[in-house]
């Protein structure tokens, strides 16, 4: 019945909206630099479907990841985000060589590494002294050698 179909689609839309509201920042090819500038990035790379209302798009995100997202929401120096490798973040995924989903990477927005541990250990990793990276858009975080390197590179 079309009424049942309409109700089903409405329920999926509501569920999706709630999931997205609680989710980490969506990092895309378009917002990557602005969202990550001068910050440590921890991201979940996934390959979701194009139709956000289909059942297979409402996949289960591990509780450890949800907890990590919530712990760092609005953090000043750490960005926790998600990248959709199939659509809005395919350039980012290609750049970092992501081929397996989901994948978890962390580090500088210019050079991330794969996190191979247990998701429960992400919080320990972040608290162990990871700090925003020295980068061209955050020179104040660089030591003298780092600032000189970026100054020399900018002259090229």
């Amino acid at each position: 019945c079309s009424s049942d179909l309409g109700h089903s689609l409405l329920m999926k839309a509501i569920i999706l909206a709630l999931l997205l509201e609680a989710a980490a920042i969506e990092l895309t090819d378009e917002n990557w630099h602005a969202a990550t500038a001068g910050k440590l990035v921890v991201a979940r790379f996934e390959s979701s479907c194009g139709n956000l209302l289909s059942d297979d798009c409402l996949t289960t995100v591990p509780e450890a990841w949800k907890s990590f997202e919530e712990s760092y929401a609005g953090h000043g120096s750490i960005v926790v985000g998600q990248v959709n490798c199939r659509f809005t973040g395919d350039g980012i995924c290609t750049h970092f060589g992501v081929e397996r989903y989901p994948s978890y990477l962390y580090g500088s927005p210019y050079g991330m590494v794969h996190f191979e541990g247990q998701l429960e250990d992400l919080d320990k990793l972040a608290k162990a002294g990871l700090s925003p990276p020295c980068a061209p858009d955050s020179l104040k975080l660089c030591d003298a050698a780092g600032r000189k390197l970026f100054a020399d590179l900018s002259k090229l």
Side-chain angles (χ1 to χ4, degrees):
C1 205
S2 66
S3 170
D4 289 340
L5 178 60
H7 179 71
S8 175
L9 288 176
L10 177 61
M11 291 305 296
K12 286 181 183 180
I14 290 169
I15 291 168
L16 179 62
L18 291 171
L19 288 172
L20 291 176
E21 184 178 318
I25 297 168
E26 181 181 2
L27 297 170
T28 67
D29 292 340
E30 289 184 18
N31 74 3
W32 179 261
H33 295 292
T36 63
K39 298 182 179 183
L40 171 73
V41 181
V42 182
R44 181 176 193 264
F45 290 76
E46 54 192 37
S47 179
S48 62
C49 60
N51 178 358
L52 294 176
L53 297 180
S54 70
D55 288 332
D56 58 334
C57 282
L58 302 177
T59 58
T60 303
V61 176
E63 286 300 319
W65 177 255
K66 289 180 192 176
S67 175
F68 185 74
E69 285 177 340
E70 291 170 10
S71 296
Y72 289 90
H75 194 281
S77 61
I78 298 175
V79 173
V80 177
Q82 296 187 77
V83 179
N84 181 331
C85 292
R86 190 164 171 199
F87 294 101
T88 58
D90 58 330
I92 300 167
C93 298
T94 299
H95 177 77
F96 291 117
V98 176
E99 297 177 347
R100 192 180 62 207
Y101 309 104
S103 287
Y104 299 88
L105 280 74
Y106 69 96
S108 157
Y110 306 103
M112 297 181 70
V113 295
H114 287 265
F115 178 74
E116 300 296 339
Q118 299 294 315
L119 286 181
E120 291 79 7
D121 296 332
L122 275 173
D123 193 48
K124 292 176 194 169
L125 178 72
K127 288 180 179 174
L130 289 179
S131 59
C134 165
D137 56 358
S138 58
L139 292 174
K140 66 182 180 221
L141 299 172
C142 301
D143 60 16
R147 286 190 297 276
K148 182 179 181 330
L149 172 67
F150 288 121
D152 292 344
L153 288 173
S154 69
K155 294 176 187 175
L156 296 178

